């Protein structure tokens, strides 16, 4: 009997504790649910606040664009408009039967003529006889030189630098000759030296691009004679190429193993965009021992059309270094 009574009491106690345990568990679960829900609501509020604050600091939800990015966008839009304008001008010129002459360009109330080409004849001190030979053969002088510029759009200048001793007899002789002929472009930023001819070529293209708004620019030695009419006709064939490099290209099996492709230095022609590139980057463009190699190196990796023009190869010229242009 005692054993039974003890077992009955323990069973009754367990039955009494079971409802209490269930109630406590239910209360704990309810409190936990409220706690989790509260934290989730608080996190959601924090996220809303952070989003609003981010929007406020970056311009009411709009993407922030830096000043540099804005200028790039504006520049691209202006360039696109300019390109569209040039394309229309080119189409109109072709429709009117363009024959390789330069065109009028209006600037406000004044109109001016854009040269077709600027030809730089590389010369130096002590070579007056060569310059006189050029003047007697294909380069007109005086009023006829001006007529060549106005009627055919061909600007020709002898290119020379300054003496290492600026203001000496060599400089004075060039200045005196130029006062008489008015056919020099004197590079005050270049010291005349045979070893510095690549830098002289770079200085010429840079200064010519800044001084003349021409379609093409040519470098030629002072012992080369040119037929300017044939040259104009040749340039007509390349008018539609915005970035072009014309010359007697050194390439093929012999040269490709040692040199990158470049035009022979006796005479070469580049378009306006290429000349402007040289002008803008003159301070970082490296020069080598020869000017023809130097020019070719400047154009590596650029979207420039290399034109191998047989008429500019000395093998096709008659005696006397007369270019068969």
């Amino acid at each position: 009997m005692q054993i039974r009574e003890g077992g009955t009491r323990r069973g009754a106690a367990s039955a009494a504790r079971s409802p209490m345990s269930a109630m406590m568990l239910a209360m704990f679960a309810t409190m936990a649910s409220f706690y989790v829900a509260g934290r989730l609501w608080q996190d959601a509020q924090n996220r809303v606040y952070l989003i609003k604050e981010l929007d406020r600091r970056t311009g009411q939800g709009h993407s922030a664009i830096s000043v540099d990015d804005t200028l790039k966008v504006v520049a691209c839009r202006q360039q696109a408009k300019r390109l569209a304008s040039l394309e229309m001008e080119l189409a109109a010129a072709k429709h009117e039967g363009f024959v390789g002459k330069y065109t009028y360009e209006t600037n406000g109330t004044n109109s001016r003529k854009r040269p077709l080409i600027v030809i730089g004849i590389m010369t130096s001190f002590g070579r007056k006889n060569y310059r006189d030979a050029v003047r007697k053969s294909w380069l007109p002088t005086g009023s006829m030189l001006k007529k060549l510029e106005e009627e055919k759009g061909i600007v020709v200048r002898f290119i020379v630098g300054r003496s290492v001793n600026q203001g000496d007899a060599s400089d004075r002789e060039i200045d005196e000759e130029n006062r008489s002929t008015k056919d020099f472009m004197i590079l005050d930023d270049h010291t005349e030296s045979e070893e510095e001819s690549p830098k002289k070529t770079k200085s010429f293209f840079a200064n010519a691009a800044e001084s003349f708004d021409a379609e093409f620019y040519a470098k030629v030695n002072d012992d080369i004679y040119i037929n300017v009419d044939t040259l104009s006709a040749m340039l007509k064939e390349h008018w539609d190429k915005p970035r072009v490099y014309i010359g007697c290209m050194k390439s093929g099996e012999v040269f490709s193993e040692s040199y990158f492709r470049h035009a022979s230095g006796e005479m070469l022609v580049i378009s306006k965009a290429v000349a402007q590139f040289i002008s803008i980057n003159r301070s970082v463009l490296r020069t080598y021992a020869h000017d023809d190699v130097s020019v070719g190196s400047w154009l590596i990796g650029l979207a420039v059309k290399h034109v191998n023009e047989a008429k500019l190869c000395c093998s096709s010229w008659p005696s006397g270094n007369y270019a068969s242009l």
Side-chain angles (χ1 to χ4, degrees):
M1 293 294 294
Q2 291 179 351
I3 294 175
R4 291 176 181 174
E5 290 177 357
T8 301
R9 284 195 296 272
R10 284 194 296 274
S14 298
R17 284 195 298 270
S18 294
M20 294 183 62
S21 298
M23 184 178 295
M24 292 294 294
L25 183 61
M27 292 178 62
F28 178 77
T30 302
M31 294 177 63
S33 299
F34 280 118
Y35 175 77
V36 172
R39 289 299 303 270
L40 291 175
W41 180 85
Q42 185 178 5
D43 289 344
Q45 290 296 105
N46 288 339
R47 284 195 294 272
V48 171
Y49 170 76
L50 291 174
I51 291 173
K52 290 182 178 180
E53 185 66 12
L54 181 62
D55 288 346
R56 183 183 67 82
R57 295 187 180 186
T58 57
Q60 302 299 326
H62 299 291
S63 299
I65 301 178
S66 66
V67 174
D68 289 340
D69 290 337
T70 302
L71 292 175
K72 289 177 182 178
V73 171
V74 173
C76 287
R77 289 175 179 172
Q78 292 177 341
Q79 188 68 17
K81 292 180 180 179
R82 177 59 178 162
L83 180 59
S85 176
L86 289 175
E87 288 176 347
M88 289 189 291
E89 290 178 9
L90 179 59
K94 289 181 177 179
H95 179 71
E96 295 173 1
F98 177 74
V99 292
K101 294 184 179 180
Y102 59 100
T103 58
Y104 281 93
E105 182 175 272
T106 301
N107 182 11
T109 57
N110 298 322
S111 63
R112 62 185 177 86
K113 294 180 179 179
R114 172 184 293 176
L116 172 64
I117 186 170
V118 175
I119 302 175
I121 305 174
M122 297 297 159
T123 190
S124 60
F125 304 134
R127 293 182 69 87
K128 187 176 185 300
N129 290 340
Y130 286 86
R131 293 191 292 272
D132 288 341
V134 169
R135 294 181 182 116
K136 292 177 181 178
S137 58
W138 65 272
L139 179 62
T141 58
S143 61
M144 296 304 293
L145 178 64
K146 192 68 174 177
K147 185 177 181 180
L148 179 66
E149 298 178 9
E150 294 177 348
E151 294 188 357
K152 296 186 178 181
I154 298 177
V155 177
V156 186
R157 295 290 186 272
F158 287 104
I159 310 302
V160 67
R162 285 300 188 183
S163 170
V164 65
N165 301 311
Q166 289 201 14
D168 64 4
S170 296
D171 280 349
R172 292 195 297 271
E173 288 175 2
I174 292 294
D175 290 337
E176 182 178 354
E177 184 179 347
N178 187 38
R179 280 192 292 270
S180 173
T181 60
K182 296 180 174 57
D183 56 6
F184 277 87
M185 177 186 288
I186 300 175
L187 305 176
D188 291 320
D189 60 348
H190 175 76
T191 300
E192 193 65 33
S193 169
E194 185 176 352
E195 295 77 17
E196 299 296 337
S197 61
K199 292 182 179 179
K200 181 177 179 179
T201 298
K202 180 171 65 172
S203 179
F204 158 64
F205 281 131
N207 282 280
E210 294 173 358
S211 302
F212 300 94
D213 184 23
E215 299 298 337
F216 298 95
Y217 300 82
K219 173 262 177 186
V220 60
N221 292 343
D222 61 4
D223 57 353
I224 303 297
Y225 304 159
I226 299 174
N227 184 319
V228 292
D229 292 326
T230 308
L231 175 62
S232 297
M234 184 198 74
L235 294 177
K236 175 188 174 182
E237 300 174 4
H238 308 292
W239 179 267
D240 59 342
K241 302 179 181 70
R243 294 174 296 276
V244 66
Y245 173 33
I246 309 170
C248 181
M249 293 294 166
K250 295 182 178 181
S251 59
E253 296 180 359
V254 176
F255 295 98
S256 61
E257 296 179 0
S258 303
Y259 300 102
F260 37 79
R261 196 178 191 200
H262 64 278
S264 179
E266 286 81 12
M267 181 175 182
L268 59 91
V269 182
I270 59 176
S271 61
K272 175 181 178 180
V274 179
Q276 289 177 335
F277 169 81
I278 295 174
S279 177
I280 294 170
N281 298 280
R282 71 171 82 180
S283 62
V284 296
L285 293 176
R286 181 179 177 182
T287 56
Y288 295 89
H290 304 286
D291 59 353
D292 54 356
V293 175
S294 298
V295 174
S297 71
W298 301 336
L299 309 183
I300 292 177
L302 301 180
V304 175
K305 176 67 174 178
H306 290 60
V307 177
N308 184 28
E309 179 54 68
K311 293 178 181 178
L312 299 184
C313 295
C314 58
S315 60
S316 67
W317 300 347
S319 60
N321 286 354
Y322 202 106
S324 58
L325 280 168

